[in-house]
Structure formats: C-alpha cells, structure tokens
Amino acid sequence: LPISRRSRRRFRRLPMPARRAPSRHVARLAGAARAYQRRIERREERSRHRPAEGRVKIRLLGQRNALGGGVHFAEFANELKSLRLLGSVVEEVDAVQLPALEDAVRRSTPEDVNIWFWRHPAVSFVKGTRVLWAIFESDRLPADYVAYLRDNAHVVWVPSEWGKGVLVEAGIDPAIIDVVPEGVNPRNYHPFLRAKREPGAKPFRFLSVGKYEERKAYRALLEGLDRKSTRLNSSHEWIS
C-alpha cells in the first residue's frame, strides 16, 4: 500500500511491536477481499439455482454453421458466455429448430434482451427488447428489409459507420442504430507463430479474405491481378 513520507517517518519512531501494524492492516484488507469474493460466489450460486422462468435472459437467436453469419454468431455466443457476470444469463437458441424457438417464445419475458443474428418471421413473437443484427453489401436496400428493421427493431446493430449511414438514408431512425464492429478471435488470428521474414526480394502478395463463391468475383479479381503482374513482369502469390 502507498504510504506517505510523513507516515514513514512516524513509523520509524514507533517501538518494534507497533511496527507490525501495517501487516495487520494488510491482513484485514485481505480478509475483506476474501469476504467480498465469498459474497460474489454466493450471489452467483443463488442466481444459478433461481428458477429459469424468473431470470432475465440475454437470448441469442441464430445458428452455428460454416457461413460467415454462422461463424460470427458462434464466436459472439462463445465470448459472451465466457463472461463471469453475464455468462449465466446468456441463452443460445438455434432459430432453425422450431421446438427450440417455440420454447423461447413461451419462456420469454418483457425484461429479456433478444439479439437476432438473421432475419426471421418469428422476431415479434419473442417478448423483450429486440436487437437486430443487420449486414448488407450495397447502399440500396430492398424496401421489405427496411420495413422489417423499422417495424421490429428496438435497436439495430451494424458493423460500420458506413452501414449506419446506409440505414439512415433508407429512413431508419439513427437513435436506434449502434455501430458494433465485428471482432477478431486472437486465439485464431495472431502474429506470434508467423515465420521469420528474411531480408531480400519478396514476391508481391495480395490477401483476399472471404468465402469462395461466384458473387465474390474471385475470377475477375485473379484475372485482373494476373494482367497487372504480367505488365509489371513481377512474381506474385495469390492467397485467399
């Protein structure tokens, strides 16, 4: 613990038995910390044993799959569940499974927070605050999608300021739009295992991150890079 200069001078003038006071003070602080920790643990224990029907839930509705949205949903759910003070109230619902969705509708309360990771016709049947995760790739949105957000969302999450601007231009109230950037899992993507870079000439590398499918226009991308590298007479690598 930090001790002022004046306190240190007074401490030196104390008789030897009295000099043990700081140790007793530290012991009292440690005891108080342990008592506080026990109170936290008892509170968490009571929360775990409380009937599920009477507990506020943070409900995540989506599906784990190999697509971009499914991977994002899975990573978000894993991280939220790992939080000590929130994990016990997080509930994951596979929105494709009708029995699970019906059960969520039955158990939902107005105090719950429901985060929808895709567009779903049952969104209005689950009681509570509705948070809709909105992703799109163009600055012109279908009218029915805009109506879906406008009529059902209490809060809209978008991953960028650009996305927020598109929704505002489409007529969504900016007060309900929050920018929530998509994170990166540092357990999968980090520089620590990267091979050592040797000095000298290196090939040009172009990194494209995304699912390989026709609408991503990989063919046009690779053809354009091939023409560019041929014109520059340079070696190159494609990584996708």
Side-chain angles (χ1 to χ4, degrees):
L1 295 173
I3 303 176
S4 68
R5 185 177 302 173
R6 178 181 299 177
S7 297
R8 283 197 295 269
R9 287 198 298 268
R10 289 177 178 174
F11 178 68
R12 293 191 190 99
R13 291 196 295 268
L14 291 175
M16 185 59 69
R19 292 192 183 189
R20 299 193 184 96
S23 298
R24 291 198 297 270
H25 182 60
V26 171
R28 286 197 298 271
L29 288 178
R34 287 193 294 270
Y36 178 74
Q37 180 65 28
R38 286 195 294 270
R39 287 200 299 272
I40 293 292
E41 291 172 353
R42 286 197 296 268
R43 186 183 306 165
E44 291 178 348
E45 187 68 20
R46 287 195 299 268
S47 177
R48 281 194 293 269
H49 292 298
R50 192 185 308 163
E53 301 294 338
R55 297 166 60 186
V56 173
K57 281 291 183 183
I58 300 176
R59 190 172 289 108
L60 311 178
L61 301 105
Q63 188 189 49
R64 294 170 179 257
N65 55 46
L67 302 178
V71 172
H72 178 69
F73 170 76
E75 294 286 355
F76 188 94
N78 291 342
E79 294 304 316
L80 197 60
K81 288 178 179 179
S82 71
L83 298 178
R84 182 171 184 180
L85 296 181
L86 286 179
S88 62
V89 301
V90 175
E91 176 184 294
E92 183 178 335
V93 178
D94 188 339
V96 174
Q97 302 298 324
L98 185 58
L101 195 57
E102 290 176 340
D103 183 58
V105 171
R106 179 184 60 82
R107 293 185 295 101
S108 62
T109 70
E111 290 76 27
D112 293 347
V113 176
N114 304 298
I115 306 174
W116 292 84
F117 283 80
W118 62 12
R119 183 175 178 177
H120 201 287
V123 64
S124 62
F125 292 97
V126 184
K127 295 186 287 292
T129 300
R130 292 189 292 271
V131 180
L132 306 188
W133 183 54
I135 53 170
F136 39 84
E137 299 175 344
S138 68
D139 55 6
R140 294 184 181 181
L141 303 178
D144 61 325
Y145 183 67
V146 175
Y148 166 77
L149 297 176
R150 184 181 60 244
D151 297 341
N152 293 292
H154 299 120
V155 179
V156 179
W157 282 357
V158 292
S160 65
E161 291 290 345
W162 172 84
K164 179 177 181 177
V166 171
L167 291 184
V168 171
E169 286 294 324
I172 302 297
D173 182 3
I176 70 169
I177 304 173
D178 286 336
V179 176
V180 182
E182 297 176 9
V184 173
N185 188 338
R187 291 185 292 273
N188 296 332
Y189 303 100
H190 55 77
F192 309 121
L193 299 180
R194 179 181 296 166
K196 183 179 179 181
R197 296 184 177 183
E198 298 296 337
K202 302 180 182 67
F204 171 76
R205 291 184 175 91
F206 186 94
L207 174 65
S208 176
V209 180
K211 184 175 60 171
Y212 189 85
E213 58 184 359
E214 188 65 30
R215 72 186 186 90
K216 301 289 187 181
Y218 276 97
R219 184 185 301 276
L221 172 65
L222 297 178
E223 289 175 352
L225 285 174
D226 188 54
R227 287 198 297 269
K228 181 71 171 177
S229 62
T230 301
R231 187 161 57 249
L232 295 177
N233 192 26
S234 64
S235 60
H236 56 275
E237 292 182 3
W238 295 328
I239 305 172
S240 63

